[in-house]
Amino acid sequence: MELSILDLVPVRVGQTTSDAFAASHEIVRRADELGFTRYWVAEHHNMPSIASTMPGAELMYLGQGTERIRLGSGGVMLPNHAPLAVAELFALLSAVYGDRIDLGIGRAPGTDPVTSAAMRGHLGEGRMVDRNGQTIDPVEQFPQHVIDTLALMTPEGVRIPLQGGREHTLRATPAPVPGAQPLPWLLGSSGYSARLAAELGMPYVFANHFAAGATTAMKIYRDNFTPGAYGDAPRSFVTVNAVVSPTEEEARLRSEPFMLQMARLRTGGQMGPLRLAGDDVRSVMTDQERMVAEELSKNWIVGDPQTAKAQIEELAERFDVDEVMIQPVAGAMEGEDLRQDAARIQTLDLLADVFLR
């Protein structure tokens, strides 16, 4: 069993963005020491409890001091970016970190519609329009943008036709280290992404940490996979939220801040930095929010090490994968160091004890 880490760089009450990144830097360095396979950061915008907005830029800092763990995006939301900008940033990461870079790509905006439009240079409009006033849907361009992004990181590059029958060859610069181009993964939470990953012969990850339907998506992917440049056989894993503590009681206590956040996200409640575990979160969580949160968290890994081990093994067997990506969501308690996430590191340590040591 291989274990990996997904990190949203959470921001809790009292923390600055600087504090949150310092804490996540400790997370990735600890994961590297413990033998976790990969560490990915996500892309979300306009969310007070999440500091991770630009995975490629963040990895330049977060990867410092690591030696073996793979570093990647979980993922870059491609409709928000020009393919060349993504290709150049990940080519640069490859030049710095060699063959340890993963490029996880998704098609969701990672934010609300207005912020998404602003990401693409359309402040105030809430949508993208062409010169005739027709709405442009960047999601419709997603398959071609995936192909272009990957091609730009190859020595062959992309050939762009010009007037007069001429062509211009465009490549990402700096060039990726020869033989060490970033390994692409297509991320998704539906059959659409599973089918596209299969058609392109790409590795595929299902976002099981927030979406249902992994069984169907995995079947679509495996049944339709076309061998290609990234492998002769399907390659996939799933994600899951996890809180592991010495006792189940502590694990459940530390799961509540993220439970509240997810409940508010689903119900349109007021968002803010993550509350602290214990009285701080319980004093504001309503009965309705707790009911929603408990339903959402049924598929999480929450418990002591042996319970967590059994749940992860069952998850891997159910989806026929030999790797599971953990999003450690254990909340902090009052008085804990603002530049560390002791409970999230504890989750990593306890999982390593039962899986990796």
Side-chain angles (χ1 to χ4, degrees), residues 86-223:
V86 175
E88 288 197 331
L89 184 50
F90 278 78
L92 179 59
L93 284 166
S94 173
V96 173
Y97 291 107
D99 63 356
R100 291 199 284 139
I101 300 301
D102 293 330
L103 172 53
I105 299 172
R107 72 180 181 120
T111 187
D112 59 88
V114 173
T115 305
S116 179
M119 286 292 300
R120 301 165 191 147
H122 292 263
L123 270 174
E125 296 178 7
R127 61 192 181 102
M128 294 179 66
V129 295
D130 62 21
R131 65 182 61 187
N132 298 316
Q134 298 299 309
T135 299
I136 300 171
D137 183 0
V139 174
E140 293 180 358
Q141 302 170 307
F142 179 70
Q144 187 59 50
H145 282 182
V146 171
I147 293 169
D148 291 343
T149 302
L150 303 185
L152 285 162
M153 293 186 292
T154 66
E156 297 77 17
V158 174
R159 292 184 177 181
I160 300 174
L162 304 176
Q163 290 183 347
R166 296 174 298 132
E167 284 188 335
H168 177 79
T169 300
L170 187 62
R171 303 179 184 88
T173 54
V177 175
Q181 285 90 353
L183 177 64
W185 295 78
L186 199 62
L187 283 56
S189 57
S190 68
Y192 172 93
S193 52
R195 193 172 300 279
L196 180 60
E199 291 174 358
L200 298 179
M202 292 176 61
Y204 174 66
V205 181
F206 187 86
N208 183 66
H209 66 290
F210 72 82
T215 301
T216 300
M218 288 290 191
K219 186 175 190 313
I220 290 172
Y221 172 64
R222 290 174 176 139
D223 288 351

Side-chain angles (χ1 to χ4, degrees), residues 238-258:
V238 296
T239 59
V240 67
N241 297 318
V243 181
V244 186
S245 302
T247 66
E248 182 172 346
E249 181 181 13
E250 181 184 339
R252 297 209 170 276
L253 177 70
R254 289 191 179 271
S255 72
E256 290 179 343
F258 195 71

Side-chain angles (χ1 to χ4, degrees), residues 1 5 76 81 97 103 107 110 136 144 216 233 237 282 289 324 327:
M1 172 69 66
I5 303 298
V76 168
H81 310 283
Y97 291 107
L103 172 53
R107 72 180 181 120
I136 300 171
Q144 187 59 50
T216 300
F237 61 83
R282 290 177 176 176
E289 287 169 341
V324 173
Q327 181 184 194

